[in-house]
């Protein structure tokens, strides 16, 4: 997709009302510091649209980015950040769940997993949770440039097995540094949006 214009249109906090968007939404979930902001910036060819930070847990809101007036990228709060209190984590969890249940135009949920590590308990819980809310997560294995090419397939297999993901679940390696996987992710986004048009 050629990116003509992108804007951060809506920011929803814990008590905010969710927007009633008409354009299709694509959501991105993942634990803090998995590279979610870098992925969104990479897909949209922007340097710092989504704020990247060396401090995990920066995204504490649901951010809606309008892309070309054709669709929304929805950046969900990162989970599993140790320095946040249990009460705040629970509020974030409720906020994400409310979004997954209420959005009428959510077409796909991407779940980001660091390709170098076996998915954590939080990752597995998020995967199950997305499934429970009626979506088949699309897994993006981030930081693929940190591995040798020969290691990638083995690590993708570990992610699939640990999550208990069936053969129907798409897992795509991605690198924000080399842009590996960018076109494939856009292809999947296009397929999910087109299904609705048919």
């Amino acid at each position: 997709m050629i990116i003509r214009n992108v804007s951060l249109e809506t920011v929803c906090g814990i008590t905010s009302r969710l927007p009633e968007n008409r354009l299709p939404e694509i959501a991105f979930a993942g634990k803090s510091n998995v590279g979610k902001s870098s992925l969104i910036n990479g897909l949209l060819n922007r340097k710092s649209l989504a704020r990247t930070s060396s401090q995990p847990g920066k995204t504490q809101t649901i951010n809606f980015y309008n892309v070309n007036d054709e669709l929304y990228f929805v950046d969900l709060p990162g989970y599993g950040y140790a320095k946040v209190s249990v009460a705040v984590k629970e509020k974030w969890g409720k906020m994400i769940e409310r979004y997954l249940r209420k959005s009428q135009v959510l077409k796909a949920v991407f779940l980001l997993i660091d390709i170098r590590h076996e998915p954590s308990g939080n990752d597995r819980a998020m995967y199950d949770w997305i499934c429970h809310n009626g979506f088949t997560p699309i897994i993006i294995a981030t930081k693929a440039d940190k591995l040798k090419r020969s290691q990638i397939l083995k690590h993708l297999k570990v992610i699939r097995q640990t999550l208990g993901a069936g053969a129907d679940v798409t897992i795509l390696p991605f690198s924000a540094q080399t842009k590996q996987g960018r076109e494939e992710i856009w292809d999947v986004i296009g397929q999910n949006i087109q299904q609705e048009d048919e």
Side-chain angles (χ1 to χ4, degrees):
M1 179 181 272
I2 296 163
I3 310 299
R4 292 186 301 280
N5 51 71
V6 184
S7 61
L8 174 56
E9 191 171 286
T10 313
V11 176
C12 286
I14 286 163
T15 56
S16 308
R17 243 183 100 182
L18 291 165
E20 294 180 11
N21 292 325
R22 293 174 183 271
L23 298 172
E25 294 172 353
I26 303 291
F28 297 87
K31 73 179 174 198
S32 305
N33 79 0
V34 73
K36 196 150 47 69
S37 299
S38 299
L39 168 74
I40 290 171
N41 288 331
L43 289 174
L44 297 176
N45 284 334
R46 297 294 188 274
K47 282 267 190 295
S48 56
L49 181 73
R51 290 193 298 273
T52 56
S53 171
S54 56
Q55 284 181 302
K58 200 79 175 157
T59 307
Q60 300 182 13
T61 50
I62 300 180
N63 298 333
F64 292 79
Y65 295 94
N66 183 322
V67 183
N68 288 350
D69 290 321
E70 289 177 37
L71 73 152
Y72 287 97
F73 274 13
V74 183
D75 186 7
L76 300 174
Y79 55 83
Y81 180 46
K83 287 190 183 172
V84 174
S85 73
V86 173
V88 170
K89 281 181 192 169
E90 280 179 7
K91 284 180 179 167
W92 285 358
K94 287 194 174 122
M95 181 164 69
I96 295 170
E97 185 166 33
R98 183 166 56 112
Y99 167 69
L100 291 177
R101 289 207 168 139
K102 292 230 168 138
S103 172
Q104 300 294 309
V105 287
L106 178 57
K107 303 301 174 206
V109 183
F110 286 90
L111 176 59
L112 281 63
I113 308 276
D114 187 328
I115 196 168
R116 298 169 299 175
H117 309 298
E118 188 175 299
S120 66
N122 280 324
D123 291 327
R124 294 197 300 275
M126 191 67 184
Y127 177 85
D128 292 342
W129 202 25
I130 295 167
C131 293
H132 179 70
N133 280 285
F135 294 92
T136 301
I138 299 149
I139 310 300
I140 298 180
T142 61
K143 310 191 183 187
D145 55 285
K146 308 280 189 196
L147 295 180
K148 292 179 182 156
R149 280 185 171 260
S150 58
Q151 297 174 302
I152 286 179
L153 280 177
K154 185 179 113 185
H155 283 253
L156 295 179
K157 192 175 175 187
V158 168
I159 290 173
R160 188 180 293 281
Q161 287 174 338
T162 308
L163 293 175
D168 60 325
V169 174
T170 302
I171 304 183
L172 300 167
F174 174 78
S175 163
Q177 300 298 320
T178 67
K179 301 293 186 282
Q180 177 193 351
R182 183 179 183 274
E183 296 306 319
E184 290 84 348
I185 293 167
W186 269 116
D187 285 346
V188 171
I189 291 170
Q191 286 159 18
N192 278 277
I193 293 170
Q194 275 166 358
Q195 278 172 2
E196 197 60 26
D197 297 339
E198 288 167 6

